[in-house]
């Protein structure tokens, strides 16, 4: 069973704030099962967009996990905004979480990445 989107976003925000970075919910989607997109903002003004990874990347026993893939990496804010606008036309129930940090690898799991140390809080 997959963790509800609103709980996932709340936990993500707490983790971001606990390490001294900033996060904001730009778009609130369906509380139970809305897709979560992470907009990463760097200090130099460039941005990356991390989107839900396709289900084909998951093993059967991992179906409850939320994994991400990087769709855009270190591009201008306009490119990320355009990509999100296209996604919203396709799925109006999506979440967009904007995080101002240089590193998100310890906040979200990426598809295809090796296993990370389980801290018992967020990666279940």
């Amino acid at each position: 069973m997959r963790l509800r989107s609103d709980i996932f976003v709340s936990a993500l925000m707490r983790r971001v704030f606990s390490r001294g970075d900033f996060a904001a919910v730009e778009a609130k989607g369906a509380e139970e099962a809305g897709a979560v997109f992470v907009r990463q903002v760097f200090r130099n003004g460039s941005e990356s967009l991390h989107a839900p990874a396709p289900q084909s990347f998951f093993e059967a026993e991992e179906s409850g996990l939320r994994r991400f893939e990087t769709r855009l990496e270190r591009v201008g804010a306009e490119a990320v905004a355009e990509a999100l606008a296209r996604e919203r036309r396709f799925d109006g129930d999506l979440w967009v979480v904007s995080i101002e940090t240089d590193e998100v690898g310890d906040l979200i799991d990426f598809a295809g990445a090796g296993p990370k140390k389980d801290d018992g809080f967020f990666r279940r």
Side-chain angles (χ1 to χ4, degrees):
M1 186 169 154
R2 181 179 254 183
L3 189 63
R4 290 171 44 123
S5 295
D6 57 344
I7 295 171
F8 177 85
V9 168
S10 177
L12 176 61
M13 303 265 304
R14 283 180 175 267
R15 287 189 61 148
V16 170
F17 289 133
S18 73
R19 63 183 217 177
D21 292 322
F22 177 77
V25 175
E26 285 186 27
K28 188 174 180 181
E31 292 180 353
E32 297 83 23
V36 178
F37 287 77
V38 176
R39 185 176 196 167
Q40 180 181 7
V41 181
F42 296 94
R43 292 178 193 184
N44 65 2
S46 64
E47 297 185 9
S48 292
L49 179 62
H50 309 290
Q55 291 295 317
S56 60
F57 287 139
F58 295 93
E59 300 289 330
E61 64 273 1
E62 297 178 324
S63 63
L65 298 177
R66 288 188 185 266
R67 299 259 172 119
F68 292 84
E69 66 177 358
T70 302
R71 295 260 180 96
L72 297 172
E73 190 164 6
R74 293 189 180 261
V75 297
E78 310 81 35
V80 172
E82 289 172 11
L84 286 170
R86 285 192 305 272
E87 290 292 337
R88 279 192 190 105
R89 284 193 298 270
F90 177 72
D91 178 10
D93 286 337
L94 61 84
W95 290 76
V96 178
V97 179
S98 179
I99 301 175
E100 293 181 7
T101 185
D102 289 331
E103 180 58 45
V104 294
D106 61 334
L107 296 171
I108 57 177
D109 285 327
F110 288 91
K116 296 187 179 189
K117 181 179 177 249
D118 185 2
D119 61 4
F121 173 70
F122 201 63
R123 301 196 194 302
R124 293 215 188 272

